[in-house]
Amino acid sequence: MQILRVVLLISAGFVLAGCGADGEPIQPTMSANVGVGSSGTFVGGGVGLRRGGLGVYLGL
């Protein structure tokens, strides 16, 4: 449950950065995937921002 709160706070930071709260807007990137393996199914995803040579990506 604690990890979920941290992920939500970081995601909120990405949203604020993406909307241009501190300068020009940055288009965020998002990804989602679903897989099936020998141990069952899994779901994953992530969100990221890229500005110039700096990129930040948070995956789950």
Side-chain angles (χ1 to χ4, degrees):
M1 195 56 125
Q2 189 75 1
I3 292 175
L4 181 61
R5 289 182 182 166
V6 171
V7 170
L8 289 175
L9 285 172
I10 292 173
S11 297
F14 279 128
V15 169
L16 284 176
C19 74
D22 189 29
E24 68 181 63
I26 301 171
Q27 183 69 34
T29 58
M30 299 180 77
S31 67
N33 55 39
V34 177
V36 179
S38 60
S39 62
T41 60
F42 60 91
V43 178
V47 63
L49 294 173
R50 176 168 293 283
R51 183 171 200 161
L54 177 65
V56 178
Y57 183 79
L58 175 65
L60 187 61

